[in-house]
Amino acid sequence: MVENKLKREIPAKYADQYGVYDGEFAHIDSYQAATKTIKPIKPNESKLLGSIHEAIVKTGLKDGMTISFHHHFREGDFVMNMVLAEIAKMGIKNLSIAPSSIANVHAPLIDHIKNGVVTNITSSGLRDKVGAAISSGIMANPVVIRSHGGRARAIASGDIHIDVAFLGAPSSDEYGNINGTKGKATCGSLGYAMVDAKYADQVVAITDSLMPYPNTPISIPQTDVDYVVQVDAIGDPDGIAKGATRFTKNPKELLIAEYAAKVITASSYFKNGFSFQTGSGGAALAVSRFLRQTMIDEDVKASFALGGITNAMVEMQKEGLVDKLIDVQDFDHPSAISLAENADHYEIDANMYASPLSKGAVINQLDIAILSALEVDTDFNVNVITGSDGVLRGASGGHSDTSAACKLSMVIAPVVRGRIPTIVDAVTTVVTPGSSVDVVVTELGIAINPARQDLVEMFKDLKVPQLTIDDLKDKAYAITGVPEKIEYGDQTVALIEYRDGSLIDVVKNV
Amino acid sequence: MVENKLKREIPAKYADQYGVYDGEFAHIDSYQAATKTIKPIKPNESKLLGSIHEAIVKTGLKDGMTISFHHHFREGDFVMNMVLAEIAKMGIKNLSIAPSSIANVHAPLIDHIKNGVVTNITSSGLRDKVGAAISSGIMANPVVIRSHGGRARAIASGDIHIDVAFLGAPSSDEYGNINGTKGKATCGSLGYAMVDAKYADQVVAITDSLMPYPNTPISIPQTDVDYVVQVDAIGDPDGIAKGATRFTKNPKELLIAEYAAKVITASSYFKNGFSFQTGSGGAALAVSRFLRQTMIDEDVKASFALGGITNAMVEMQKEGLVDKLIDVQDFDHPSAISLAENADHYEIDANMYASPLSKGAVINQLDIAILSALEVDTDFNVNVITGSDGVLRGASGGHSDTSAACKLSMVIAPVVRGRIPTIVDAVTTVVTPGSSVDVVVTELGIAINPARQDLVEMFKDLKVPQLTIDDLKDKAYAITGVPEKIEYGDQTVALIEYRDGSLIDVVKNV
């Protein structure tokens, strides 16, 4: 065992392979960009194939290779299940899969794991059934959990080498010019898929909306695509928008949102030209609502909103409160529509969004980020990947990326959820180190990270209750009692990579 | 000496190094994409530097490295002269320069060559004074002439490895998000520069129009830029549009244009959804005018126009005759404006435009190309790089790319220019092999390449005089007499790369 900087124990084998977390910018060094094999396409050669089966044959996909998918269709994705079903039928085994994330809809993956079709996984997250199955120990090799920026880094630096990317394309022409704003299953930005397309040896565009050549706008260009396959349906539009949240009426969430907005607007960052990222939860959307009102009242305009774009941001831009939307992913249909229609709503890839090894990600220019948490501990470490029972059910997302890079990172969370404390002595799993978290906002008040004495000074007259993080934990435990220790097994079921590729934690089987 | 497929003699030393031309698609094989060294930028690090001098210091530029520039400012470019002057002052020697092309305005380059600052050059073209100086033998190493697609190929495959790209940026923010449609010296598309930015180890954006962050649209993203330098002026807008041609009134050019338009509209390619590229010469623009009228008369609409965009194409799009403009470079100011304002006017990079080693360039989808020539010979080989005196004065451009890939390639040229024949026994220098040229159009009529018997059949009833290429040559010689043989020296002053990287010809000193 090797203990990393956060005193998390990393099995020596994995510590050797990945290195261990040693501070937010300890491993940021020059490197050689990954390369790929390019098979040129001559004039008169067609890229259009008749089926996914034919595409798998043409790519020469074989045992042991790495394939990737994107999660822009979220709970409406048909592509990963379709492709894996065909691969399984063809008898190909021992694949590594590198989807940008895994949703509930991907439960058929469990059988592919059990049957030896899929033997390695890297993903931002694992939900419900798949998460529970992995946590039960069905895989010999641990899943590698990567943040959105960390995945882009891993691909750009060659840690993940994708042999074949199977990319759901809301619209494509026969030569592979793809966008996510036209077609039957529009998802808006293709920010995660763009990275796969750029670095994969071979790319198969799977579309249900074949457009005349040239299909524009071009999110993924023909020069990054080898084959195009037309199918009946690549996704369920309702599933794409599933989980897109309306403004909450929950009084606890509203109070958290109100406090968070007060912290933002009282900060020195709140001035003309500021920038923010809010995420998509109920409380996060409510923050936008309170923030919006103060921006109107005080005549403050933002230069850009980043993310994870929601209709709340789109509406603020329409009102003239936000100059530009910088979009790696859309959480709802209105945002996808806005990307299509509004030149100041701009699509970027995940590398530009958040990679710590890029020549400067957009998050480096970000003032304020609102982030969620399953747990926060008294060292301000945050868990967004496992439940309090230790079972994989969340997603790393852009959490550790944004919080490390922005100027004011705020984690919003209720003190308890039902009978489970959110503020705890030690998080079940660390995804984001406490050094990246500036302010924790709860319904009982805020706790400022004592490492940020400038913020303590800045907020000394703020009309929001201020507590220490230990106070918040005590209040949580007063309601729930001290949580029982989780009984783990000996098997490592997931490695939690920090965005720089080092291991910040591991997850054991339950 | 090695004789290539066109019986051009290539000195053994260069034949060994580059390989020799052996047919249009003889060298199109899978390859490993070039890589680059990335120096990550952390939060709070600034890219903004005070001067070009400081940028040169920061990049660590030293003797023997390769630097690049783009030619989107054409005769209005200030950047290459500014940067080379500073480099010379700093005493750095023995540089390779890889501009996308070289204009008359770059005459100071001659002194940098003589002083040993610049010892290797690759470029699409060489004009007037620089061309004459090189042809006189001032360089020990031959200039490597590459087509636009060939340059993109060379960069993408690592044949050209750019240590530092110095890119004139019509507008940029402090983090290096660049476009060519805003700012004081707008050039429109940055299609050539985009390739440099993608593959260079380090990129310096030099701008006279610093914009608030984030500057959109983003032609070159912050993730491809290391440093940003603000200067007073990067280019002269009048020079950018210099050479942009009005519709000709020259009766010979009009006749050529009329014949060319008849060939197009009588071809089987002329139907709804066809595509074309015309270039920017006087006769080429006149072709657009005749073509436009027939499109209106016969109610035929094009899917896209490619290039090299001119106002003539922009106007046709505004009239609804052309669905989309696909733009690697703008030849005039109205085209740059259109790129900014029109979502169906789409910017692409030179790799996507024309690289023979890409996963399919746009030219592969092109129906008809109108191309110019300094000379055409009786084997249909075309010279666009040297005058009839053997002196370097032209540019390879997209000539060999487009003609190889499109379905109907037409070379338009007068039979003679003044006392110089255009149609000759053997071109002074081969840039484009005759196998790529389908029809030669002159004021005396057309000559169809006998290799295209389908076209001979297609045009058998065409109301345009039809001659053999030998007839055309005889008519030219009847006017000018048989041209005298050029007296060459022993020094190889330029290597003419075919688009695949092999040598199609060399140029000797005069």
Side-chain angles (χ1 to χ4, degrees):
Chain A
M1 288 290 176
V2 177
E3 206 173 65
N4 70 16
K5 195 177 184 177
L6 302 176
K7 307 207 179 302
R8 295 279 158 162
E9 293 200 329
I10 312 296
K13 160 182 173 185
Y14 302 118
D16 286 350
Q17 190 179 345
Y18 292 85
V20 299
Y21 174 75
D22 193 30
E24 292 160 295
F25 300 101
H27 299 294
I28 304 302
D29 303 303
S30 290
Y31 68 106
Q32 205 64 18
T35 176
K36 64 176 171 184
T37 304
I38 295 177
K39 203 168 55 179
I41 304 279
K42 293 176 204 158
N44 304 321
E45 285 179 357
S46 168
K47 297 184 181 182
L48 198 64
L49 301 178
S51 66
I52 289 173
H53 175 87
E54 196 182 343
I56 295 168
V57 171
K58 282 271 188 189
T59 59
L61 186 72
K62 56 175 195 276
D63 294 7
M65 283 189 167
T66 298
I67 62 176
S68 81
F69 305 92
H70 70 71
H71 78 290
H72 289 286
F73 301 134
R74 302 155 58 81
E75 289 297 343
D77 178 47
F78 295 169
V79 173
M80 188 157 99
N81 290 344
M82 277 195 295
V83 171
L84 285 179
E86 185 59 38
I87 285 172
K89 216 167 85 184
M90 292 168 70
I92 300 170
K93 299 273 182 188
N94 192 25
L95 291 180
S96 296
I97 66 167
S100 51
S101 204
I102 292 174
N104 293 321
V105 73
H106 298 125
L109 179 56
I110 297 169
D111 280 340
H112 298 309
I113 293 168
K114 290 180 175 167
N115 295 334
V117 176
V118 173
T119 49
N120 282 282
I121 298 176
T122 178
S123 173
S124 165
L126 294 164
R127 309 288 179 176
D128 284 21
K129 286 183 190 162
V130 179
I134 304 270
S135 269
S136 78
I138 61 168
M139 292 191 77
N141 305 314
V143 171
V144 183
I145 299 295
R146 290 179 162 112
S147 71
H148 292 325
R151 179 179 191 268
R153 174 204 59 73
I155 294 172
S157 66
D159 285 357
I160 302 174
H161 180 79
I162 302 167
D163 294 296
V164 186
F166 293 93
L167 301 183
S171 74
S172 175
D173 58 40
E174 290 192 5
Y175 223 44
N177 292 300
I178 299 171
N179 67 55
T181 56
K182 294 176 178 168
K184 288 189 265 184
T186 53
C187 60
S189 176
L190 288 170
Y192 303 118
M194 290 158 82
V195 177
D196 301 40
K198 193 169 164 187
Y199 289 98
D201 282 343
Q202 294 186 79
V203 174
V204 179
I206 300 172
T207 190
D208 54 12
S209 301
L210 204 59
M211 312 295 279
Y213 185 89
N215 183 37
T216 58
I218 302 171
S219 301
I220 294 173
Q222 63 188 46
T223 41
D224 281 345
V225 175
D226 298 84
Y227 301 107
V228 178
V229 177
Q230 190 174 16
V231 297
D232 289 338
I234 56 168
D236 169 15
D238 291 339
I240 294 173
K242 198 169 170 180
T245 318
R246 293 168 170 274
F247 284 135
T248 182
K249 290 180 178 169
N250 177 324
K252 197 158 59 166
E253 287 191 337
L254 285 173
L255 192 55
I256 293 170
E258 191 184 335
Y259 287 164
K262 281 189 176 167
V263 170
I264 294 172
T265 56
S267 77
S268 62
Y269 307 110
F270 185 69
K271 59 189 178 199
N272 267 324
F274 85 109
S275 55
F276 65 94
Q277 168 171 326
T278 55
S280 67
L285 287 179
V287 176
S288 308
R289 186 157 41 148
F290 289 108
L291 180 61
R292 171 184 168 275
Q293 194 54 53
T294 311
M295 289 172 76
I296 293 169
D297 294 345
E298 302 188 9
D299 196 23
V300 170
K301 291 182 173 55
S303 57
F304 68 94
L306 177 66
I309 300 299
T310 62
N311 189 38
M313 291 162 160
V314 169
E315 293 294 332
M316 287 171 80
Q317 190 192 33
K318 283 184 183 160
E319 286 184 279
L321 295 173
V322 175
D323 194 22
K324 292 178 183 176
L325 301 177
I326 305 298
D327 186 348
V328 71
Q329 168 180 22
D330 290 290
F331 284 129
D332 51 36
H333 192 62
S335 303
I337 297 295
S338 167
L339 179 63
E341 294 177 350
N342 178 353
D344 286 326
H345 184 163
Y346 212 83
E347 185 178 28
I348 60 167
D349 69 26
N351 183 59
M352 178 156 166
Y353 170 54
S355 170
L357 285 193
S358 74
K359 292 181 175 180
V362 179
I363 53 172
N364 292 1
Q365 295 285 330
L366 183 67
D367 289 326
I368 298 158
I370 304 286
L371 300 155
S372 64
L374 292 172
E375 295 175 328
V376 185
D377 70 22
T378 50
D379 291 327
F380 288 85
N381 297 318
V382 178
N383 169 25
V384 285
I385 190 73
T386 50
S388 59
D389 54 1
V391 175
L392 291 157
R393 61 163 53 92
S396 176
H399 203 289
S400 63
D401 300 309
T402 319
S403 55
C406 77
K407 295 184 182 62
L408 174 59
S409 70
M410 300 164 59
V411 169
I412 60 172
V415 169
V416 299
R417 288 186 174 94
R419 286 277 146 204
I420 297 166
T422 305
I423 317 293
V424 296
D425 273 318
V427 289
T428 308
T429 311
V430 184
V431 171
T432 296
S435 56
S436 293
V437 175
D438 298 323
V439 182
V440 173
V441 182
T442 73
E443 74 278 23
L444 301 182
I446 67 169
I448 301 172
N449 189 329
R452 288 293 303 267
Q453 281 300 312
D454 61 322
L455 295 181
V456 172
E457 178 66 18
M458 190 185 287
F459 296 129
K460 67 180 180 203
D461 298 325
L462 183 71
K463 301 276 181 295
V464 171
Q466 299 195 28
L467 302 87
T468 67
I469 192 77
D470 289 279
D471 289 342
L472 284 176
K473 185 260 299 176
D474 290 342
K475 285 177 188 291
Y477 285 11
I479 300 166
T480 63
V482 176
E484 279 176 35
K485 242 184 141 59
I486 304 163
E487 297 279 331
Y488 290 111
D490 291 333
Q491 188 185 343
T492 302
V493 297
L495 306 175
I496 312 296
E497 261 198 12
Y498 188 60
R499 58 197 300 255
D500 65 6
S502 67
L503 295 183
I504 196 162
D505 210 342
V506 299
V507 179
K508 297 281 185 179
N509 64 316
V510 180
Chain B
M1 288 292 176
V2 177
E3 207 174 64
N4 70 16
K5 194 175 186 177
L6 301 177
K7 306 205 181 304
R8 295 279 159 162
E9 293 200 329
I10 312 295
K13 160 182 174 184
Y14 301 118
D16 286 350
Q17 191 179 344
Y18 292 84
V20 299
Y21 174 76
D22 193 30
E24 292 161 296
F25 300 101
H27 299 294
I28 304 301
D29 303 303
S30 291
Y31 69 105
Q32 204 63 17
T35 176
K36 65 176 171 183
T37 304
I38 294 177
K39 202 168 57 179
I41 303 280
K42 293 175 205 159
N44 304 320
E45 286 179 355
S46 168
K47 296 183 182 182
L48 197 63
L49 301 179
S51 65
I52 289 173
H53 176 86
E54 197 182 341
I56 295 168
V57 172
K58 282 271 188 188
T59 58
L61 186 72
K62 56 175 195 279
D63 295 8
M65 284 188 166
T66 298
I67 62 176
S68 80
F69 305 92
H70 70 73
H71 78 290
H72 290 285
F73 300 134
R74 302 154 58 81
E75 289 297 344
D77 179 47
F78 295 170
V79 173
M80 188 158 99
N81 290 345
M82 278 195 295
V83 171
L84 285 179
E86 186 59 38
I87 284 172
K89 217 167 84 183
M90 292 168 70
I92 300 169
K93 300 271 183 189
N94 192 25
L95 290 181
S96 296
I97 66 168
S100 51
S101 203
I102 292 173
N104 293 321
V105 72
H106 297 126
L109 179 56
I110 297 169
D111 280 341
H112 298 310
I113 293 169
K114 290 181 176 167
N115 295 332
V117 176
V118 172
T119 49
N120 283 282
I121 297 176
T122 179
S123 173
S124 165
L126 293 165
R127 307 288 179 175
D128 285 21
K129 287 182 189 164
V130 180
I134 304 267
S135 269
S136 78
I138 62 168
M139 291 191 77
N141 305 315
V143 170
V144 182
I145 299 296
R146 290 179 161 111
S147 71
H148 292 326
R151 178 179 190 267
R153 175 206 57 74
I155 294 173
S157 66
D159 285 357
I160 301 175
H161 180 79
I162 302 167
D163 295 296
V164 187
F166 293 94
L167 302 183
S171 74
S172 176
D173 58 41
E174 290 193 5
Y175 224 44
N177 291 300
I178 299 170
N179 66 56
T181 55
K182 294 176 178 169
K184 289 189 265 184
T186 52
C187 59
S189 176
L190 289 169
Y192 303 118
M194 289 157 83
V195 177
D196 301 40
K198 194 169 164 187
Y199 288 98
D201 283 344
Q202 294 186 78
V203 174
V204 179
I206 300 173
T207 190
D208 54 12
S209 302
L210 205 59
M211 312 297 277
Y213 185 89
N215 183 38
T216 58
I218 301 172
S219 300
I220 294 173
Q222 62 187 48
T223 40
D224 281 346
V225 176
D226 297 83
Y227 300 108
V228 178
V229 177
Q230 191 174 16
V231 296
D232 289 338
I234 55 168
D236 169 14
D238 290 339
I240 295 173
K242 199 169 170 178
T245 319
R246 294 168 168 275
F247 285 134
T248 183
K249 289 182 181 169
N250 177 324
K252 195 155 66 167
E253 287 191 339
L254 284 173
L255 192 57
I256 294 171
E258 191 184 335
Y259 286 166
K262 280 189 177 165
V263 171
I264 294 172
T265 56
S267 78
S268 61
Y269 307 111
F270 185 69
K271 59 188 179 200
N272 268 324
F274 84 109
S275 55
F276 65 95
Q277 169 172 323
T278 55
S280 66
L285 287 180
V287 175
S288 307
R289 187 158 38 151
F290 289 108
L291 180 61
R292 171 183 168 275
Q293 194 54 51
T294 310
M295 288 172 76
I296 294 169
D297 294 346
E298 301 189 11
D299 195 23
V300 170
K301 291 183 173 55
S303 57
F304 69 94
L306 177 66
I309 300 298
T310 62
N311 188 38
M313 291 162 161
V314 169
E315 293 295 332
M316 286 171 81
Q317 190 191 34
K318 283 184 185 161
E319 286 185 279
L321 296 173
V322 175
D323 195 20
K324 292 179 184 178
L325 301 178
I326 305 299
D327 185 349
V328 71
Q329 167 180 22
D330 290 291
F331 285 128
D332 51 36
H333 191 62
S335 303
I337 297 295
S338 167
L339 178 64
E341 293 177 352
N342 179 352
D344 286 326
H345 183 162
Y346 211 84
E347 185 178 25
I348 60 167
D349 68 26
N351 183 59
M352 179 157 165
Y353 169 55
S355 170
L357 285 193
S358 74
K359 291 180 177 181
V362 179
I363 53 172
N364 292 1
Q365 295 285 329
L366 183 67
D367 289 326
I368 297 158
I370 303 288
L371 299 156
S372 63
L374 292 171
E375 294 175 330
V376 184
D377 70 22
T378 50
D379 290 328
F380 288 84
N381 298 317
V382 178
N383 169 24
V384 285
I385 190 71
T386 49
S388 60
D389 54 1
V391 175
L392 291 157
R393 63 163 50 93
S396 176
H399 202 290
S400 63
D401 301 308
T402 318
S403 55
C406 77
K407 296 184 180 63
L408 173 61
S409 70
M410 300 165 60
V411 169
I412 59 172
V415 168
V416 299
R417 289 187 175 92
R419 286 276 146 207
I420 298 168
T422 304
I423 315 295
V424 295
D425 272 317
V427 290
T428 308
T429 312
V430 184
V431 171
T432 295
S435 56
S436 293
V437 175
D438 299 324
V439 182
V440 174
V441 182
T442 73
E443 75 277 22
L444 302 182
I446 66 168
I448 300 172
N449 190 328
R452 288 294 303 267
Q453 283 300 314
D454 60 322
L455 295 181
V456 172
E457 178 66 19
M458 191 184 288
F459 296 129
K460 67 180 181 208
D461 298 323
L462 183 70
K463 300 274 180 295
V464 170
Q466 298 195 31
L467 303 85
T468 67
I469 193 77
D470 288 280
D471 290 341
L472 284 176
K473 185 260 297 176
D474 290 342
K475 287 179 188 287
Y477 284 10
I479 300 167
T480 63
V482 176
E484 280 176 32
K485 240 181 142 60
I486 305 165
E487 297 279 333
Y488 290 110
D490 291 334
Q491 188 185 341
T492 302
V493 297
L495 307 174
I496 312 297
E497 260 197 13
Y498 188 60
R499 59 198 299 256
D500 64 5
S502 67
L503 295 183
I504 195 162
D505 209 343
V506 300
V507 179
K508 297 281 186 179
N509 64 316
V510 181

